[in-house]
C-alpha cells in the first residue's frame, strides 16, 4: 500500500497527542468538564455541554467499559484499507462514563450482536505506532 492514501489514520496534533499516546499504551482517554462534570468524546478543547473553556476541561482515563448502542455490518468499502477488512462491524457504543463513541466491534460474529451488550475496549495497531480503540464483547459479571 505504499503511496496509497489511508482513510483510517488519525491526524494527531498538539492537542490530541495525549489521546493518541495513551492509545499506544492501551488506555482510552476522555475529556471531563470541571464546570458541569460531564465527560465527552471525541476530544475537544471546550465542553460541548456547557461551553466551559479549555481551562476547565481535563483528560481522564476511561474505564474501557461500554454497551452497544447500534451497529452496521459493512460488506463493501472501497477506501483503503477498509476493503481488505470487509466484512467488519462499524458501531456506536455508549461508554460507561456517558459519552457515545463511534468505533468497531471485533471478535464477535454479527449474528451475536445485541443492543446493550457489554463491551470492553481493546486496541488495534492501524499503522506502525498508531493504535486505535475498538471494542470486543465482555461477559456480564
Amino acid at each position: 500500500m505504499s503511496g496509497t492514501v489511508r482513510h483510517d489514520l488519525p491526524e494527531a496534533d498538539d492537542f490530541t497527542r495525549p489521546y493518541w499516546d495513551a492509545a499506544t499504551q492501551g488506555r482510552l482517554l476522555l475529556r471531563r468538564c470541571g464546570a458541569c462534570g460531564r465527560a465527552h468524546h471525541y476530544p475537544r478543547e471546550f465542553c460541548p455541554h456547557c461551553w466551559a473553556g479549555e481551562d476547565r476541561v481535563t483528560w481522564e482515563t476511561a474505564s474501557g467499559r461500554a454497551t452497544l448502542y447500534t451497529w452496521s455490518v459493512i460488506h463493501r468499502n472501497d477506501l483503503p484499507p477498509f476493503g481488505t477488512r470487509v466484512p467488519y462491524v462499524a458501531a456506536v457504543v455508549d461508554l460507561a462514563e456517558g459519552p457515545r463513541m463511534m468505533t468497531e466491534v471485533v471478535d464477535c460474529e454479527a449474528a451475536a450482536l445485541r443492543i446493550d451488550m457489554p463491551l470492553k475496549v481493546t486496541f488495534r495497531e492501524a499503522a506502525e505506532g498508531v493504535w486505535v480503540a475498538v471494542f470486543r464483547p465482555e461477559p456480564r459479571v
Side-chain angles (χ1 to χ4, degrees):
M1 281 184 35
S2 179
T4 301
V5 174
R6 295 272 308 259
H7 296 276
D8 65 330
L9 298 179
E11 292 184 25
D13 57 23
D14 289 341
F15 171 69
T16 61
R17 181 74 48 214
Y19 179 87
W20 298 113
D21 287 349
T24 66
Q25 301 164 6
R27 295 183 304 121
L28 176 63
L29 292 186
L30 299 174
R31 300 278 286 167
R32 184 167 303 273
C33 179
C36 72
R38 293 178 70 183
H40 63 268
H41 184 77
Y42 64 91
R44 286 162 271 196
E45 294 176 357
F46 62 93
C47 176
H49 305 291
C50 75
W51 298 94
E54 64 183 299
D55 61 323
R56 302 297 310 272
V57 183
T58 59
W59 294 104
E60 74 175 42
T61 301
S63 67
R65 292 185 330 274
T67 57
L68 185 59
Y69 176 74
T70 191
W71 73 93
S72 181
V73 179
I74 309 302
H75 293 278
R76 181 178 174 149
N77 188 334
D78 296 330
L79 296 175
F82 298 106
T84 62
R85 295 200 316 240
V86 294
Y88 63 91
V89 177
V92 177
V93 300
D94 287 330
L95 300 175
E97 293 78 8
R100 258 187 196 143
M101 178 180 175
M102 293 177 59
T103 187
E104 186 176 334
V105 175
V106 297
D107 301 333
C108 185
E109 293 295 323
L113 296 170
R114 299 289 181 262
I115 297 295
D116 291 330
M117 77 184 296
L119 302 169
K120 184 73 174 166
V121 74
T122 189
F123 293 84
R124 176 179 58 220
E125 191 171 25
E128 186 175 342
V130 179
W131 292 79
V132 295
V134 296
F135 286 78
R136 65 172 34 124
E138 179 179 60
R140 292 194 191 267
V141 183

